[in-house]
Amino acid sequence: MTSTPHILIVDDHAEIRDLLAKYLAKHEIRVTVADGGRALRETLRTSAIDLIVLDVMMPGEDGLSLCRHLRETTNIPVILLTAMAEETDRVVGLEIGADDYLTKPFNPRELLARIRAVLRRANSLPKQRVEATADRYAFGEWRLDTAQREIIGNDNIAIPLSTAEFHLLLAFVEHPKIVLSRDRLLDLTRGKAANVFDRSIDNQVSRLRKKVEPDPKNPTVIKTVWGGGYLFAADVTTL
């Protein structure tokens, strides 16, 4: 199953943000919106974004400055929204690393076409391997060996993990004692395995619980937070 692309729209005009978000959502694109640089950075800190639609003319930190920052710190594709008369902005934007641009006013259908084209180009490039931040983690009676993709109990018996189980457990041990929504879990895992969620997140959690919980029917390690998602309640240490 191909993951739904997650697009970030950055524009200080709420009407434009909402219009584009609604249009793209109708075409099976997941959308987050931001009104400027601060909201953009916060979104990137908490979510995996596939492409950014970035308005150039914004008060404070403008789109060109933000584009330059993005090129210095990420590989996320950027499409700039520019004013019709500002040819210089378009040229500078491409020079500092924007992947495409669209002049205002524009048809949302054209933006959708450009988003899909840029994503196709980005997906054709070799993907960087995402590494775990540690080789081993310990929680409860278990040790997670990220090299072997297995958990080892106090009896030193290793239990192998499927790809889905491994990436989901890795997301949990790297974010212990934090409520992770289903969308957040998708963000944390999709860069590591695009097809992890061939079934629902809930099914994956259920399978993982059968391996790490003393009593899967009464979980104490991976707790359900009703209306919020899941919380990895165990203390985690790196080895």
Side-chain angles (χ1 to χ4, degrees), residues 70-135:
L70 289 167
R71 285 289 68 85
E72 293 172 350
T73 58
T74 79
N75 292 316
I76 301 172
V78 175
I79 296 178
L80 292 177
L81 302 181
T82 71
M84 180 68 75
E86 298 299 330
E87 182 177 357
T88 300
D89 287 347
R90 298 196 293 274
V91 173
V92 173
L94 293 173
E95 287 178 343
I96 63 178
D99 296 85
D100 202 351
Y101 67 87
L102 195 58
T103 56
K104 293 181 177 181
F106 58 86
N107 189 319
R109 183 177 178 182
E110 182 177 1
L111 176 61
L112 175 62
R114 289 177 181 269
I115 286 173
R116 287 174 171 168
V118 171
L119 287 176
R120 282 196 299 270
R121 293 198 300 269
N123 290 335
S124 69
L125 298 174
K127 298 295 187 292
Q128 291 184 332
R129 184 179 177 186
V130 179
E131 302 289 351
T133 56
D135 293 329

Side-chain angles (χ1 to χ4, degrees), residues 139 171-180 220-223 225 230-236:
F139 61 94
F172 279 130
V173 298
E174 289 183 339
H175 300 82
K177 307 296 180 72
I178 297 174
V179 177
L180 300 174
T220 58
V221 179
I222 305 173
K223 294 184 176 181
V225 179
Y230 295 99
L231 181 143
F232 196 78
D235 293 323
V236 178

